[in-house]
Amino acid sequence: NLGHSYSLFLFVIPPVLANLQVDFYKSTCPQAESIVQQVVKNEFSRDPSITAAFLRMHFHDCFVRGCGASILIDSAKKNSSEKIASPNQTVRGYEVIDKAKKSLEDTCSTTVSCADIITLAARDAIALAGGPNYTVPTGRRDGLVSNPDDVNLPGPGISVSGALQFFKAKGIDLNEMVTLLGAHTVGFARCFFFSNRLSNFRGSGVPDPSMDPTLVAKLNKTCAPNVSATVFLDHNTFFSFDNKFYNQILLKRGILQLDQELALDNSTASTVSGFASNGIRFQNNFAKAMVKLGSIEVLVGKAGEIRNNCRVFNPAN
Ligand code: HEM
Ligand SMILES: *[C@@H]1O[C@H](CO)[C@@H](O)[C@H](O)[C@H]1NC(C)=O
Ligand SMILES: *[C@@H]1O[C@H](CO)[C@@H](O)[C@H](O)[C@H]1NC(C)=O
Ligand SMILES: *[C@@H]1O[C@H](CO)[C@@H](O)[C@H](O)[C@H]1NC(C)=O
Ligand SMILES: *[C@@H]1O[C@H](CO)[C@@H](O)[C@H](O)[C@H]1NC(C)=O
Ligand SMILES: *[C@@H]1O[C@H](CO)[C@@H](O)[C@H](O)[C@H]1NC(C)=O
Ligand SMILES: CC(=O)N[C@H]1CO[C@H](CO)[C@@H](O)[C@@H]1O
């Protein structure tokens, strides 16, 4: 059977360009995943909000030029990096990534990419917060470009169908988008991202009718004096990675307008109620969607580089 031996032949010859694979560092840096986990664990016990930081960092990294750690690059003297683009203003957790990188460089230098550190840190932080503990493939390489002009992320006032266009462009479908937005079960939002909902919504003279008036009053107390103040995205269980975000939006208690829309738009409402009533289903779907998010436009094989310092490109030789 020619067909059979041909496929066997392909199977035994290692590909020139490796793909992402589980346990990619098994022989080159066997401690890689446990080193990252230890750093994340230490940080989590000090500050459980680190889960939200890594989730958002991972999303912003992967949606701009793929998961290549372009978000970690600091601006050069005469050249700005992605970090200065306004949607990035409030991404955080950079120092923890530095810590993990330092520890990895001490153990196995120039081996583990910064892009994989973000991916693993997000995975570990989700598990620590009570979310799914999933296996995630590694082998990403770090990108060589970081440009604020590449940053094109949707804002919180976008419609469900508008947001979907961004996700579709990255190969993520509607249900996966609803699943990933479940990440808003942890973390904070600055008032300026949603304060338009608290009064004179779209020129109506009144707050957004799709927000519970009790929540409007509560948020207004925090936000009216200072639009830079922060509130939890999930008022119920803010450090816990659970499905309560979906229950909250069913109760008109979504903070961001897009989040609230997920419960109201009839293309997403049934997914929302499914997740609200079945936490296990949400966790399983979330794990799968994160693996997909983490594989967007990755550099593998000999593309890109393994940075020595996550904040700067390696010097050219
Ligand atoms: C259309 C899509 C999305 C929009 C418009 C959006 C918008 C926002 C906004 C406005 C904030 C508040 C930021 C701040 O005040 O610092 C936020 C926070 C956050 N977002 Fe999203 N987001 C989207 C998708 C995602 C996805 C896909 C994830 C992860 C899988 C994610 C994870 C987070 C987390 C965890 C936070 C809290 C961050 C923290 O506490 O530092 N978001 N998002
Ligand atoms: C996740 O599972 C791995 C492998 O079983 C384990 O080493 C790790 O400690 C788990 N993480 C958490 C936070 O429980
Ligand atoms: C600087 O500019 C070049 C070319 O425009 C770009 O490729 C590079 O990623 C930029 N960013 C930084 C931080 O150097
Ligand atoms: C929000 O707070 C401001 C200042 O305290 C107050 O004038 C306004 O009426 C409040 N709006 C709502 C909807 O609670
Ligand atoms: C507003 O809130 C931000 C974030 O908590 C804080 O840094 C700032 O000092 C506050 N400004 C005022 C005027 O209270
Ligand atoms: C969705 O909503 C629109 C307008 O509110 C309605 O015309 C349509 O039939 C609904 N579709 C489904 C599948 O429920
Ligand atoms: C972390 C970081 O570099 N944040 C930058 C985001 O963008 C604003 C300007 O829009 C900068 O002031 C921040 O320093």
Side-chain angles (χ1 to χ4, degrees):
N1 182 325
L2 258 179
H4 180 78
S5 50
Y6 183 64
S7 59
L8 193 65
F9 177 72
L10 281 180
F11 189 71
V12 293
I13 304 290
V16 178
L17 282 182
N19 265 318
L20 296 184
Q21 56 191 76
V22 171
D23 242 339
F24 179 84
Y25 298 109
K26 191 196 236 159
S27 56
T28 54
C29 187
Q31 314 92 311
E33 297 204 11
S34 61
I35 288 172
V36 173
Q37 195 193 24
Q38 197 52 54
V39 171
V40 174
K41 224 179 192 168
N42 291 345
E43 185 63 21
F44 184 85
S45 62
R46 213 179 57 79
D47 174 14
S49 84
I50 196 65
T51 302
F54 289 148
L55 263 163
R56 187 155 185 254
M57 180 190 282
H58 195 34
F59 166 53
H60 282 216
D61 184 35
C62 295
F63 262 55
V64 182
R65 282 186 172 270
C67 317
S70 52
I71 194 171
L72 301 181
I73 294 291
D74 283 338
S75 292
K77 251 185 218 125
K78 295 196 169 164
N79 196 1
S80 300
S81 69
E82 250 176 53
K83 270 183 194 174
I84 73 121
S86 60
N88 280 338
Q89 281 182 66
T90 53
V91 173
R92 57 198 180 89
Y94 298 112
E95 300 74 18
V96 189
I97 299 294
D98 290 339
K99 244 183 229 167
K101 183 59 175 174
K102 167 103 192 22
S103 182
L104 286 162
E105 289 302 296
D106 290 348
T107 310
C108 23
S109 68
T110 331
T111 305
V112 180
S113 68
C114 299
D116 278 341
I117 297 174
I118 300 176
T119 309
L120 293 169
R123 186 271 307 271
D124 294 335
I126 290 164
L128 286 163
N133 186 2
Y134 52 91
T135 304
V136 69
T138 44
R140 291 164 194 78
R141 309 259 306 168
D142 296 322
L144 301 171
V145 175
S146 180
N147 189 335
D149 299 339
D150 292 338
V151 180
N152 179 22
L153 290 159
I158 199 168
S159 65
V160 171
S161 59
L164 181 59
Q165 297 318 306
F166 283 87
F167 281 77
K168 264 196 180 153
K170 304 294 175 187
I172 294 181
D173 71 22
L174 183 63
N175 281 337
E176 290 164 335
M177 181 180 92
V178 176
T179 308
L180 287 170
L181 279 163
H184 290 166
T185 187
V186 289
F188 311 107
R190 270 75 187 169
C191 292
F192 54 73
F193 284 116
F194 60 85
S195 56
N196 66 314
R197 302 185 67 202
L198 304 180
S199 63
N200 196 22
F201 180 62
R202 292 177 176 160
S204 64
V206 292
D208 185 343
S210 70
M211 188 186 280
D212 169 8
T214 315
L215 182 61
V216 171
K218 185 178 171 193
L219 296 177
N220 189 53
K221 244 187 215 141
T222 308
C223 296
N226 185 352
V227 287
S228 298
T230 57
V231 305
F232 290 115
L233 280 163
D234 170 359
H235 271 257
N236 198 24
T237 55
F238 33 83
F239 290 139
S240 171
F241 196 93
D242 57 20
N243 64 336
K244 295 293 188 287
F245 164 79
Y246 298 101
N247 294 284
Q248 289 288 295
I249 60 179
L250 286 175
L251 296 169
K252 300 172 92 176
R253 295 176 60 82
I255 304 296
L256 303 178
Q257 192 186 316
L258 172 63
D259 292 351
Q260 189 54 58
E261 288 295 323
L262 295 177
L264 301 172
D265 190 294
N266 64 9
S267 69
T268 48
S270 64
T271 308
V272 166
S273 44
F275 286 156
S277 64
N278 189 337
I280 305 286
R281 186 199 295 178
F282 166 60
Q283 302 251 1
N284 290 339
N285 278 268
F286 192 80
K288 276 188 213 138
M290 284 300 287
V291 170
K292 191 150 177 193
L293 174 72
S295 66
I296 294 172
E297 296 158 25
V298 290
L299 302 170
V300 292
K302 298 198 154 131
E305 65 182 8
I306 304 295
R307 262 177 235 153
N308 297 117
N309 172 347
C310 292
R311 292 174 182 265
V312 292
F313 302 120
N314 290 345
N317 329 288

